[in-house]
Amino acid sequence: QVRLVESGGGSVQSGGSLRLSCVGSIFTDPEISMAWLRQGPGKDREAVAVIDHRGITEYADSVKGRFTISLDKFKGTLNLQMDSLKPEDTGMYYCAADRRPYVSGYYLRTADFHYRGQGTQVTVSS
C-alpha cells in the first residue's frame, strides 16, 4: 500500500516563503513520476509542479520562477520550495505519484496520478 504524508503547510503573508515536504517509500522507485497538486477554494485540483525520476521538471505558468520541486531519493522525500507567495496560491496542497512512464506535459495538464496524500493547507494573506 502506497502512503504519502505531507507536512510544512501554514499561513504566511504575501511575499513570504514556505517549504512543503512529502514522505513516501514510493519515491525510491527506479522509475516514477511525482508532483505537487493544488486545489484552491472553489477551484479544480491542478498540478503546479512535476518531476520524474531523472529530475526532469515542469511547472504551471502561474508558479514558474517562484516554486521549485525537488526529490531526495535516498530519503524518500519530495519537496516544494515556494517563494514570493501570492494570495492566489492559497489552497490545499497534495503530493502525488504514479508508476506510469513520464510523458512531457501529460501530468501537468491532467493532474492524473494514481497515488495522492491527504494534503496540507497553505494560506497566503494579502
Side-chain angles (χ1 to χ4, degrees):
Q1 185 176 355
V2 175
R3 186 164 179 255
L4 304 176
V5 181
E6 302 96 338
S7 63
S11 296
V12 65
Q13 288 194 324
S14 182
S17 297
L18 282 173
R19 183 177 178 85
L20 306 183
S21 293
C22 179
V23 177
S25 60
I26 194 174
F27 296 139
T28 62
D29 278 20
E31 293 190 9
I32 187 172
S33 300
M34 299 147 283
W36 284 94
L37 313 179
R38 173 174 76 190
Q39 187 163 19
K43 297 181 181 179
D44 293 333
R45 189 177 298 129
E46 61 175 339
V48 295
V50 176
I51 188 169
D52 83 338
H53 60 279
R54 298 164 294 178
I56 295 174
T57 58
E58 292 180 306
Y59 296 93
D61 288 342
S62 60
V63 307
K64 207 170 287 184
R66 300 187 298 120
F67 290 12
T68 304
I69 189 172
S70 61
L71 171 68
D72 187 328
K73 183 167 283 195
F74 296 104
K75 293 183 179 179
T77 304
L78 182 70
N79 303 300
L80 185 68
Q81 178 66 39
M82 304 186 295
D83 298 317
S84 302
L85 282 161
K86 304 176 181 180
E88 51 263 44
D89 294 319
T90 293
M92 188 69 79
Y93 283 72
Y94 304 87
C95 67
D98 201 296
R99 292 188 171 104
R100 290 175 292 173
Y102 170 83
V103 176
S104 178
Y106 173 75
Y107 288 114
L108 194 66
R109 185 172 66 251
T110 66
D112 176 26
F113 289 84
H114 279 152
Y115 307 107
R116 191 176 68 241
Q118 293 298 306
T120 185
Q121 178 68 35
V122 171
T123 302
V124 184
S125 57
S126 57

